Amino acid sequence: MLPIHSFSSKGKMERYPYTNGHTGAYPMGGKSFSIHPNRFQPRSHTALRRRRGFLIRLAALASLGFLLLLLIFPSLRYTLLPAVSLGLFSGTPDLQLETVRYYDLSNVQGSARGWEREERILLCAPLRDAAPHLPMFFSHLRNLTYPHKLIDLAFLVGDSKDNTMDLLTELLEGLQDDPDPKQTFGEISIMEKDFGQKVDQDVESRHGFAAQAGRRKSMAQARNWLLSAALRPVHSWVYWRDVDVETAPFTILEDLMRHNKDVIVPNVWRPLPDWLGGEQPYDLNSWQESDTALELAKTLDEDAVIVEGYAEYATWRPHLAYLRDPYGDPDMEMDLDGVGGVSILAKARVFRTGVHFPAFSFERHAETEGFGKMAKRMKYSVVGLPHYTIWHLYEPSVDDIRHMEEMKAELEEERKKEQEEKERIEKIQDQFETSDGQWKADMAVIKEVQREEENAQKAKEDAQKAKAVREESETREAEKLPGKRRSNQPGAAAGPEDNDDGQDDASNELEKPGSG
Amino acid sequence: MATSRSLRRTNPITLGLATILTIGFLFFIFSTPSDPSPSKKRTKGPDIAANILSPASLPFKKSGGDESERPPPVVRYRMNNVTTTSDPIGNRETILILTPLARFYQGYWDNLLQLSYPHELISLGFIIPKNWEGNTATSQLQERIKKTQSGPQKKRFASITILRQDTEIPLQSQSEAERHKMQNQKARRAAMSKARNSLLFTTIGPTTSWVLWLDSDVVESPPTLIQDLASHNKPVIVPNCYQRYYNNDKKAMDVRPYDYNSWVDSTIAQSLAEKMGDDDILLEGYPEMATYRSLMAYMFEENGDPTKEVQLDGVGGTALLVKADVHRDGAMFPAFAFYHLIETEGFAKMASRLGWTSFGLPNYLVSHHLIGKICSIQN
């Protein structure tokens, strides 16, 4: 530094800058400078600086040692860091982790008024190729009156060939993003698991008798996977719901819960087109055990599965579905042994203690029916509500579709037939006209003959009395002939066709209720 | 503010570079342990859950005050990627160790801590009855857990769940002599089944690969227990459980068989079962009900090959390794007579109905806690 050569006013030294004659040997920032021997003189900075330097070095050494220590023993980082940084530096997420959970299961037994006690429900829905039904299902979810925060949703998506997974994720995220805090649900988990089921999910193969046992077992497997992955110690209730329910009361959870039963199911029907009778029982898996069925079960192989609703196994069981009275008391209960899976509300305790959907033949039943049986076996109450009905979506079966096509064709045919009938009647009319003319002509001929005969008779009245008998028989013959012709002629023209039509109609009439 | 001379003199660029270097250095140090987790996440699904409602087999983030306002996110679990193989460590397979706990033994906890399986892959689950004894056990357990979970990272377990039992306890006394009385067996084991199932179905998560059932009185096992059992890659596998005791005849410590529930079925037992009522159960180890089943307990050979496998029809629950898939398919511990079997034996039967076979390792030993009094289990 050479301040002499610098020309800036700040750095420039002046020989006598001070009025008291001191040379400005020390740059004092332009202020007057004086030393008084009797005033306190602060200690020069160097000593302080030296001490501070020492302290800084010490701190640097300590922090270096600390860093080294952290470097060598990584486990120390998690304990030492937050203490040193007063919780400001806790960059690793592990530090904020809680690993211990404590639950008392006697707090989650489930009661009749769960919404008041803040009881959590796990809503389970197994899905496969269910994309078309999802929007409807989500509208049902939104409408549920049970506090949404207390409902945890769990889905199992498996072996889907359509966009179920993407659509589901999108809809669920939409659900959770709802600005209304009352609309958002609790925990939502989607399990993705393919079991490699070969059975198709279309209506026909789903309900074919031969496919039933295998299908029910793989469905049971999916349900068990879903439940075991989603059930938590906080759940008091588990609700199973199919996505293809079309109409259900918004209060269904509360309605079923109010009965305070271990396992409870509503009645499941489905609407039908008018030509099929308007409505029909849908879920035939909710039933009471019968002696016939028990006897039947004894005769069957260990791995056989009795499925309800097929002629192959006539069980004569009282079905919940058939006991419905549209005007009956919706709170009426009926004890059941097997239940259907469309909508089951069960206490979580039932599932916790081991009742599940047997994916094997349990007492000759599988899936939800086996579930009912197993719950009964473990002395849980299993009931159904015959007059409380939810409506399953009507999907026309292949038979129905065929029938509908037939009906359409029939309608077409009928219209065609009507057309034909009209044409035919016109034709007949034409034919009738000609025959009418002929008949008139005949009549004229007859009248002429009669007149001639009368004239002849008048002429020969007195003259030929002996020949009168012969003459009379002749006139009778002549009268008979036109009468015969009259009755025969229209019949010969339209008779056979008419007959055929009549038979056709009759057979159609017979077929309709039979195939329905 | 007086800065040191050296600092004042150095070029600001140098200082800036040094700062950047230091920050980089610090970042490098502290980010290393959390680095591998994102790559793991992609294949294994979520390793850390967002809230307490998450599967019990996952640790969760502590919720702050504002946390409750945000709804939980949609979590997708790829269960197709959950594997159970003979190399569980290599494939980072998570294991759930489940213990119905009636009494707390320090030996049990020490044995658990010495397991060499990576602890971050281990979740623990306990179910404890709600009575005085259970309360004591709970407080003892919680004390040990607190110590372990705040101790060195390597020893910490991924998550721990403690459940208090809701089912009634048929027997107040858990003393071994009382416990093994024949008429008490069915009620006791039914309650035990319910406890086991409650524990299992609430703690098994979508990411669990294996489930190890370990009794609270197992005090000695090889540190590699999990790896050894898993290496057989069997759906259900059970080692031979022995009890150490002081042999008065030999005047030395000796071992004797303990778990009689692992067996191969016999025709005599089956014909016995046929004559029984629907709700009656067959029991093992009682002279008044001689089943002539071949018990794995007696298949032990001195100096035998520890990897020797035996196919079993009934298994005991003292130490039992099960693939999570078996439980997920529905194999549980029946609390009722299932083919005249109950609890763990019934479990083996149910697993076999679902197409899963059980195996035993007669020469692989796990030790049971010794009760001071000699109990009446030997006949």
Side-chain angles (χ1 to χ4, degrees):
Chain A
M1 265 196 212
L2 295 166
I4 288 169
H5 298 293
S6 68
F7 288 95
S8 70
S9 63
K10 201 183 163 200
K12 206 173 174 180
M13 275 179 125
E14 273 162 64
R15 197 155 282 272
Y16 302 106
Y18 300 110
T19 46
N20 58 0
H22 285 289
T23 57
Y26 299 96
M28 285 278 103
K31 287 272 151 68
S32 67
F33 177 74
S34 63
I35 291 173
H36 299 278
N38 50 352
R39 244 178 78 179
F40 171 71
Q41 202 67 48
R43 206 204 294 244
S44 76
H45 284 282
T46 42
L48 229 165
R49 207 178 289 157
R50 207 177 298 140
R51 188 174 293 172
R52 193 179 289 151
F54 172 72
L55 281 174
I56 286 171
R57 234 166 283 144
L58 202 73
L61 212 75
S63 55
L64 198 76
F66 180 64
L67 282 178
L68 271 173
L69 207 69
L70 291 186
L71 204 66
I72 296 162
F73 305 104
S75 56
L76 280 178
R77 290 173 199 175
Y78 305 97
T79 45
L80 283 182
L81 271 181
V84 169
S85 64
L86 301 167
L88 287 172
F89 184 78
S90 48
T92 46
D94 292 7
L95 288 169
Q96 299 167 309
L97 285 191
E98 189 63 72
T99 53
V100 186
R101 294 171 169 86
Y102 180 92
Y103 301 104
D104 189 341
L105 292 182
S106 50
N107 294 336
V108 287
Q109 293 298 300
S111 65
R113 301 171 74 82
W115 57 96
E116 287 173 0
R117 301 190 61 228
E118 301 223 321
E119 291 174 356
R120 294 199 78 85
I121 300 185
L122 173 67
L123 195 153
C124 295
L127 304 174
R128 189 142 72 88
D129 293 333
H133 306 312
L134 282 179
M136 182 177 72
F137 179 68
F138 274 79
S139 72
H140 282 300
L141 282 184
R142 284 202 180 83
N143 285 335
L144 286 177
T145 51
Y146 198 86
H148 288 188
K149 264 199 184 117
L150 301 176
I151 305 177
D152 294 327
L153 306 177
F155 302 90
L156 186 127
V157 181
D159 304 287
S160 272
K161 280 172 232 77
D162 63 0
N163 62 337
T164 304
M165 191 72 209
D166 301 329
L167 186 65
L168 180 69
T169 318
E170 193 190 313
L171 286 168
L172 283 173
E173 271 161 9
L175 204 64
Q176 286 303 72
D177 283 343
D178 203 303
D180 182 3
K182 281 190 173 162
Q183 275 295 332
T184 55
F185 284 79
E187 191 203 7
I188 299 185
S189 28
I190 309 171
M191 323 291 167
E192 230 182 327
K193 172 72 188 171
D194 300 322
F195 295 101
Q197 290 160 334
K198 282 158 206 83
V199 190
D200 286 333
Q201 190 76 351
D202 71 72
V203 184
E204 191 58 8
S205 62
R206 211 159 49 163
H207 292 289
F209 173 72
Q212 278 293 312
R215 195 190 77 83
R216 300 292 302 266
K217 283 178 184 171
S218 60
M219 264 305 289
Q221 195 188 13
R223 281 184 195 268
N224 291 336
W225 274 65
L226 175 53
L227 182 92
S228 62
L231 189 68
R232 311 260 182 278
V234 291
H235 291 133
S236 300
W237 298 88
V238 178
Y239 181 54
W240 288 89
R241 172 75 169 261
D242 278 2
V243 281
D244 40 11
V245 170
E246 195 179 31
T247 322
F250 302 157
T251 54
I252 184 158
L253 287 171
E254 291 95 326
D255 292 343
L256 296 177
M257 195 179 283
R258 254 185 316 111
H259 291 264
N260 202 13
K261 296 290 178 205
D262 294 320
V263 179
I264 190 164
V265 291
N267 204 341
V268 185
W269 277 51
R270 67 170 181 185
L272 286 185
D274 287 337
W275 57 270
L276 278 171
E279 56 188 30
Q280 187 191 39
Y282 177 77
D283 194 342
L284 295 181
N285 296 330
S286 303
W287 39 256
Q288 233 169 41
E289 193 54 282
S290 71
D291 292 338
T292 324
L294 286 175
E295 285 302 312
L296 174 70
K298 273 182 200 157
T299 64
L300 292 173
D301 179 66
E302 192 188 32
D303 287 322
V305 174
I306 298 180
V307 279
E308 211 45 60
Y310 293 89
E312 282 85 345
Y313 290 133
T315 53
W316 302 106
R317 286 165 172 157
H319 286 91
L320 180 72
Y322 291 121
L323 294 173
R324 172 174 175 251
D325 171 5
Y327 305 104
D329 174 17
D331 280 344
M332 201 185 113
E333 292 173 5
M334 171 190 177
D335 278 328
L336 295 179
D337 290 285
V339 295
V342 179
S343 163
I344 306 176
L345 184 73
K347 288 188 177 169
R349 180 163 56 114
V350 176
F351 288 101
R352 275 203 303 269
T353 51
V355 182
H356 62 277
F357 301 93
F360 56 93
S361 168
F362 178 77
E363 295 176 5
R364 312 293 182 275
H365 289 91
E367 214 211 341
T368 55
E369 293 171 287
F371 166 73
K373 279 248 159 191
M374 203 181 277
K376 268 273 154 124
R377 190 71 201 271
M378 287 187 62
K379 308 213 164 47
Y380 287 118
S381 53
V382 182
V383 300
L385 305 176
H387 309 316
Y388 186 92
T389 314
I390 65 169
W391 296 86
H392 195 272
L393 189 76
Y394 166 69
E395 299 165 279
S397 70
V398 174
D399 264 349
D400 286 355
I401 290 169
R402 199 166 53 221
H403 198 113
M404 274 195 260
E405 271 161 15
E406 272 174 18
M407 278 177 55
K408 212 173 171 188
E410 227 166 71
L411 210 73
E412 205 94 314
E413 214 163 285
E414 242 163 59
R415 209 167 292 147
K416 220 159 87 199
K417 227 174 259 170
E418 246 167 53
Q419 200 80 21
E420 272 174 19
E421 183 88 355
K422 225 182 246 170
E423 279 169 20
R424 206 198 65 211
I425 285 173
E426 270 169 28
K427 224 191 215 162
I428 288 170
Q429 220 94 38
D430 287 351
Q431 275 184 326
F432 217 80
E433 283 289 312
T434 54
S435 64
D436 213 35
Q438 207 178 337
W439 183 75
K440 272 177 185 163
D442 285 350
M443 280 292 280
V445 171
I446 289 164
K447 270 179 185 166
E448 203 128 314
V449 172
Q450 257 178 343
R451 215 180 297 138
E452 271 172 31
E453 274 169 10
E454 267 170 33
N455 289 343
Q457 229 169 348
K458 268 179 189 169
K460 292 169 187 176
E461 207 173 46
D462 300 309
Q464 295 179 342
K465 263 200 173 174
K467 276 183 186 176
V469 184
R470 192 176 54 93
E471 285 270 9
E472 233 171 65
S473 70
E474 252 189 50
T475 48
R476 225 170 282 148
E477 261 181 16
E479 254 175 344
K480 250 180 207 168
L481 194 72
K484 241 185 210 167
R485 277 167 85 183
R486 199 193 310 156
S487 65
N488 271 353
Q489 238 171 2
E497 214 182 309
D498 243 343
N499 257 358
D500 270 2
D501 276 11
Q503 261 172 12
D504 262 1
D505 283 345
S507 63
N508 276 346
E509 286 298 321
L510 279 174
E511 255 173 6
K512 237 184 260 170
S515 56
Chain B
M1 170 84 201
T3 38
S4 78
R5 196 187 202 78
S6 58
L7 259 179
R8 242 187 313 149
R9 279 189 182 169
T10 33
N11 201 328
I13 298 169
T14 326
L15 268 176
L17 274 174
T19 323
I20 290 169
L21 216 89
T22 318
I23 290 170
F25 180 58
L26 282 171
F27 180 77
F28 174 73
I29 294 176
F30 296 119
S31 61
T32 32
S34 52
D35 249 348
S37 53
S39 62
K40 206 168 62 203
K41 245 174 213 165
R42 246 176 280 135
T43 52
K44 275 275 178 185
D47 276 344
I48 293 159
N51 63 346
I52 192 163
L53 295 172
S54 61
S57 51
L58 295 174
F60 59 95
K61 283 200 190 103
K62 270 180 204 161
S63 64
D66 57 330
E67 199 78 12
S68 54
E69 310 239 327
R70 247 195 346 258
V74 181
V75 194
R76 187 167 160 182
Y77 300 99
R78 288 171 176 80
M79 292 180 82
N80 286 324
N81 297 342
V82 178
T83 56
T84 40
T85 58
S86 50
D87 178 23
I89 299 180
N91 290 316
R92 305 275 305 162
E93 292 168 2
T94 52
I95 183 164
L96 180 63
I97 300 181
L98 298 179
T99 305
L101 199 79
R103 255 184 218 163
F104 182 81
Y105 296 106
Q106 185 59 44
Y108 164 80
W109 190 254
D110 292 342
N111 183 51
L112 208 59
L113 286 179
Q114 56 99 37
L115 289 178
S116 66
Y117 200 80
H119 283 202
E120 73 263 22
L121 296 176
I122 300 179
S123 301
L124 305 178
F126 299 93
I127 188 157
I128 309 170
K130 269 193 107 174
N131 51 14
W132 183 82
E133 227 173 16
N135 291 346
T136 324
T138 311
S139 57
Q140 282 173 313
L141 178 70
Q142 277 172 326
E143 195 187 301
R144 301 310 193 289
I145 287 173
K146 206 177 162 195
K147 220 167 163 188
T148 308
Q149 293 303 91
S150 58
Q153 186 73 13
K154 226 180 144 189
K155 286 277 174 199
R156 288 189 213 171
F157 297 103
S159 77
I160 299 173
T161 312
I162 305 168
L163 300 180
R164 297 308 294 274
Q165 210 165 317
D166 56 340
T167 44
E168 66 297 335
I169 309 127
L171 273 181
Q172 283 306 305
S173 165
Q174 274 284 331
S175 79
E176 200 146 335
E178 187 69 17
R179 218 161 69 161
H180 286 279
K181 264 185 197 163
M182 193 173 166
Q183 57 268 36
N184 293 336
Q185 278 285 308
K186 195 186 163 194
R188 189 188 79 83
R189 297 193 67 183
M192 193 67 183
S193 300
K194 285 184 183 172
R196 279 185 194 273
N197 290 331
S198 301
L199 179 57
L200 170 68
F201 288 112
T202 52
T203 53
I204 190 169
T207 53
T208 311
S209 294
W210 298 88
V211 177
L212 176 69
W213 290 93
L214 204 62
D215 269 1
S216 63
D217 33 19
V218 172
V219 291
E220 189 188 333
S221 74
T224 53
L225 176 73
I226 297 166
Q227 297 94 308
D228 292 346
L229 293 180
S231 69
H232 290 266
N233 200 13
K234 296 285 182 230
V236 181
I237 196 159
V238 57
N240 211 344
C241 181
Y242 264 63
Q243 192 174 39
R244 285 193 195 281
Y245 74 113
Y246 185 74
N247 193 332
N248 280 323
D249 306 332
K250 282 203 228 162
K251 302 284 175 212
M253 287 304 282
D254 203 356
V255 290
R256 63 183 172 201
Y258 178 80
D259 196 341
Y260 290 97
N261 295 330
S262 302
W263 40 256
V264 182
D265 213 354
S266 69
T267 46
I268 293 173
Q270 279 169 353
S271 60
L272 261 176
E274 265 169 38
K275 284 177 223 143
M276 286 181 142
D278 277 348
D279 287 328
D280 293 337
I281 55 163
L282 279 169
L283 290 168
E284 205 44 63
Y286 295 91
E288 53 271 52
M289 192 188 282
T291 56
Y292 298 98
R293 287 163 173 162
S294 357
L295 304 181
M296 189 172 77
Y298 296 126
M299 293 179 198
F300 175 67
E301 302 154 350
E302 208 70 55
N303 305 321
D305 177 18
T307 60
K308 186 188 159 193
E309 292 171 8
V310 183
Q311 194 175 325
L312 297 176
D313 296 305
V315 296
T318 317
L320 173 70
L321 186 73
V322 185
K323 285 189 176 180
D325 292 6
V326 179
H327 282 312
R328 289 201 186 102
D329 272 355
M332 51 83 166
F333 301 93
F336 51 89
F338 183 72
Y339 290 83
H340 307 288
L341 302 170
I342 200 164
E343 214 208 343
T344 54
E345 296 167 286
F347 161 72
K349 180 68 192 172
M350 200 175 276
S352 84
R353 295 283 289 124
L354 286 160
W356 302 102
T357 331
S358 309
F359 290 88
L361 302 174
N363 295 327
Y364 192 91
L365 293 193
V366 166
S367 234
H368 201 268
H369 183 80
L370 170 73
I371 310 289
K373 267 184 189 168
I374 297 301
C375 51
S376 59
I377 52 162
Q378 273 194 313
N379 300 288

